[in-house]
């Protein structure tokens, strides 16, 4: 989607993809296949481009710091990435910037984990500090049987890693906000969106977020503060819980994020274009809404063997924008998304859901 956005800018995209099937390679003007965790591969790739940026978090922060020391522009840089890839570092950043979060304790290894579990009490959430996404790496624990030592190993795997143990809060709703920050420190915010999760995966994003104006302002101000604190260049997405009328920060991503895909249709400049503008050192584009209501529904792989009857034959729906990523089908995998825009939230949500569900039943192939 960044490569698509580059067509509106005078920017050439080179993609370093993990394998020939990597969907981003199809849209790049230059493509390299290689391992982004391999030092020589990254040094050679960085030497061929003006600016390096990332569209995921599985980043070697030490290697990024080495690229920076060798004079390569990496945006966002290692300071922001070090925090984005590590929930422990996020927890520390929220403390420093005084952004309220669920009560949390960092634990390293089984003894500290036990102490943290005892201190927080059930229900609680145990998060792997590193490596989780789409709900993987997040374990909700309500049943006392699940905190027995052997059960913890079953649930969490190796305990000799870093966890953040959190109070499981009662969630009224979840929201997210994207801000974009330029090389010169200019910051612009997108309107707050509402996110709807199912089984730990984001299912839907809606505009308007339909939350209290004061909470929306607080979320936006917090995201801007974090972007400055972390010296972000590009998009910073910040996710929050609304719990008992309070705003509690959940996590951040320093890249174009699923909660901002809706901006392709909803906003004057998409998050992808603004990320490129920011990292390329261009002026930022307007983050203004261009619609009254928008709903984005992720197209998620389903178990096709359980599909009853023939899949519904829908052509590309005329009333929703379809974005399929060209990824291979796997149950639970995000294969694309659909966005509908209009004047009524009910109407756009119905249209986007219908299109996404039909695509899922068809196996979400192009
Ligand atoms: P990921 O890194 O996989 O996106 P998150 O930290 O966003 O993981 O957690 C995934 C989902 O789990 C959240 O969207 C929320 O629904 C639930 N969750 C996470 N932390 C808490 C918490 N402290 N209390 C209650 N629910 C939580």
């Amino acid at each position: 989607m960044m490569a698509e956005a580059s067509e509106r800018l005078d920017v050439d995209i080179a993609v370093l993809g993990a394998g020939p099937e990597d969907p981003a390679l199809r849209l790049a003007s230059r493509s390299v296949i290689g391992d982004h965790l391999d030092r020589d591969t990254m040094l050679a790739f960085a030497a061929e481009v003006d600016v390096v940026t990332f569209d995921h978090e599985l980043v070697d922060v030490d290697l990024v710091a080495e690229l920076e020391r060798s004079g390569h522009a990496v945006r966002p840089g290692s300071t922001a990435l070090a925090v984005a890839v590590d929930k422990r570092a996020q927890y520390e950043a929220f403390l420093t910037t005084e952004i309220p979060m669920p009560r949390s304790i960092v634990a390293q290894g089984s003894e500290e984990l036990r102490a943290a579990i005892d201190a927080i009490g059930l229900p609680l959430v145990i998060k792997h500090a590193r490596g989780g996404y789409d709900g993987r790496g997040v374990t909700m624990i309500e049943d006392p049987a699940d905190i027995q030592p052997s059960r913890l190993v079953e649930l969490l795997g190796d305990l000799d890693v870093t966890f953040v143990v959190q109070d499981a809060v009662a969630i009224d709703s979840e929201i997210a906000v994207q801000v974009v920050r330029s090389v010169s420190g200019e910051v612009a915010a997108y309107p707050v969106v509402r996110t709807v999760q199912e089984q730990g995966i984001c299912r839907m994003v809606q505009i308007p977020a339909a939350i209290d104006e004061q909470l929306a302002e607080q979320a936006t101000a917090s995201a801007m503060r974090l972007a400055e604190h972390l010296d972000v260049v590009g998009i910073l997405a910040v996710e929050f819980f609304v719990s008992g009328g309070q705003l509690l920060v959940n996590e951040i991503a320093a890249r174009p994020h699923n909660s901002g895909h809706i901006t392709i249709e909803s906003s004057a400049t998409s998050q992808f274009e603004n990320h490129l503008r920011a990292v390329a050192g261009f002026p930022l584009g307007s983050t203004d809404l261009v619609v009254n209501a928008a709903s984005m529904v992720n197209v998620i792989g389903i178990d096709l063997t359980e599909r009853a009857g023939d899949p519904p034959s829908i052509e590309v729906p005329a009333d929703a924008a379809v974005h399929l990523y060209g990824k291979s089908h796997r149950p639970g995998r995000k294969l694309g998304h659909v966005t509908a825009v209009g004047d009524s939230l009910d109407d756009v949500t119905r249209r986007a859901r219908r299109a996404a569900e039909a695509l899922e039943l068809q196996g979400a192939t192009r």
Side-chain angles (χ1 to χ4, degrees), residues 201-244:
I201 302 190
C202 174
R203 176 62 168 160
M204 179 161 67
V205 173
Q206 294 176 315
I207 293 173
I211 61 154
D212 190 79
E213 189 56 36
Q214 213 186 325
L215 289 184
E217 281 170 19
Q218 191 189 332
T220 306
S222 298
M224 288 185 154
R225 197 150 78 237
L226 276 168
E228 301 218 341
H229 175 67
L230 302 177
D231 193 22
V232 169
V233 175
I235 292 281
L236 179 74
V238 186
E239 298 179 71
F240 299 88
F241 305 129
V242 180
S243 175

Side-chain angles (χ1 to χ4, degrees), residues 19-20 38 74 94 104-105 139 204 214 256 293 304-305 322 336 344 361 365:
D38 178 72
V74 187
F94 302 149
S104 306
I105 296 178
T139 309
M204 179 161 67
Q214 213 186 325
L304 294 171
T305 58
V322 174
S344 133
L361 285 167
T365 44

Side-chain angles (χ1 to χ4, degrees), residues 57 87 102-104 124-125 127-128 132-138 140 166-171 174 195 197-202 239 241 250-251 257:
E57 253 132 42
K87 286 194 160 124
R103 195 159 70 95
S104 306
L124 54 79
V125 181
K127 301 185 177 187
H128 279 82
Y133 67 98
D134 280 355
R136 275 165 274 188
V138 174
M140 173 76 77
Q166 259 186 3
D167 195 10
V169 296
I171 299 175
E174 296 190 45
T195 64
Q197 331 291 321
E198 286 171 12
Q199 279 113 45
I201 302 190
C202 174
E239 298 179 71
F241 305 129
N250 177 28
E251 62 170 352
H257 185 252

